[in-house]
Amino acid sequence: MTPRFRSLILDVDSTLSGIEGIDWLARRRDRAVAEAIEALTTRAMEGEIPLEAIYEERLKIIRPRVAEIEALSEAYIAARAPGVEAALAALRAAGVRMVVVSGGILQAILPLTRFLGFPDDDVDAVALRFAQDACVGIEPSPMTTQAGKPEARVVQGLAAPVLAVGDGMTDLVLRQPPARAFAAYTGFARRGPVVDGADYVIDSFAALRALVLDGQAINRS
């Protein structure tokens, strides 16, 4: 059977892995910092405030160190979505092209995506700049903005039809009918506005595999 979609765009935080990276880093600070950062992240992912209004602000508050980024990369791998490896293997075997686009931290994400078999050139995320072991800023990236993911390098030129998969409003902007559909991934977080705007709702990578390869209808409830 021909896959329903020729290409997939996959999110990382709360999709490929159950970690929200910047929130995870914030929890290594005091409770007030952690709660403030998590509230900002939730508001951005649900579309209440634009991501660009808070992206650098969160990192300036946290000022993560290199060792913390390395620890986050290990946490990403440990918290990977159930069944993700088997689903990705089946999709690759069927010839589905897959790329990863994330507003998370590139240095923390690459160990996960390598573990899952993605070449580095198929991954687009936000690179941090460090000086004396502490984060001092970010490299320019469209992924630091609410509507930036369609501008990601790895998204350009994908063969249609394309399915984007993620949990946040920053992922929903990838939906561009008729060539590109969107599946809200609810395996870790269910965000009402994202589900409402989605073409499909899936709660596992087994469901993603079924949608793409078996043509099974996915319940939106």
Side-chain angles (χ1 to χ4, degrees):
M1 180 180 292
T2 302
R4 180 181 287 184
F5 299 97
R6 295 178 64 191
S7 306
L8 294 184
I9 305 169
L10 298 168
D11 180 39
V12 175
D13 292 28
S14 294
T15 301
L16 284 174
S17 177
I19 298 289
E20 284 289 340
I22 293 179
D23 291 355
W24 186 93
L25 291 167
R27 288 195 290 272
R28 300 175 77 91
R29 304 296 181 259
D30 64 45
R31 183 174 178 178
V33 167
E35 290 178 350
I37 296 295
E38 288 181 19
L40 289 172
T41 300
T42 297
R43 292 180 66 195
M45 290 303 99
E46 294 185 353
E48 292 183 23
I49 54 176
L51 183 64
E52 53 266 37
I54 66 164
Y55 199 99
E56 286 197 79
E57 177 186 350
R58 293 180 302 171
L59 289 171
K60 286 177 181 177
I61 293 170
I62 300 168
R63 284 183 60 82
R65 308 192 75 81
V66 170
E68 292 173 321
I69 298 301
E70 292 172 349
L72 172 57
S73 70
E74 295 174 359
Y76 269 128
I77 293 171
R80 62 191 182 278
V84 63
E85 291 141 283
L88 295 181
L91 291 163
R92 289 189 179 108
V96 178
R97 173 92 166 93
M98 294 183 287
V99 298
V100 175
V101 179
S102 174
I105 297 166
L106 180 65
Q107 291 95 326
I109 286 170
L110 283 176
L112 169 67
T113 53
R114 289 167 184 162
F115 181 89
L116 295 176
F118 291 94
D120 289 359
D121 286 346
D122 287 346
V123 180
D124 216 339
V126 181
L128 301 189
R129 291 187 288 108
F130 290 89
Q132 297 180 343
D133 193 45
C135 174
V136 294
I138 60 175
E139 299 294 341
S141 170
M143 269 68 73
T144 62
T145 67
Q146 192 75 11
K149 284 192 174 184
E151 305 303 317
R153 168 185 53 83
V154 298
V155 169
Q156 311 311 314
L158 291 176
V162 180
L163 178 67
V165 182
D167 70 293
M169 293 297 286
T170 56
D171 304 305
L172 181 58
V173 297
L174 286 161
R175 181 180 185 268
Q176 297 177 359
R180 190 184 298 160
F182 177 74
Y185 184 81
T186 62
F188 294 112
R190 185 181 180 94
R191 309 185 197 280
V194 181
V195 169
D196 290 344
D199 299 289
Y200 309 98
V201 180
I202 55 175
D203 61 4
S204 69
F205 272 80
L208 175 62
R209 179 198 177 284
L211 170 63
V212 176
L213 299 185
D214 302 334
Q216 293 183 14
I218 302 298
N219 194 336
R220 286 185 47 86
S221 64

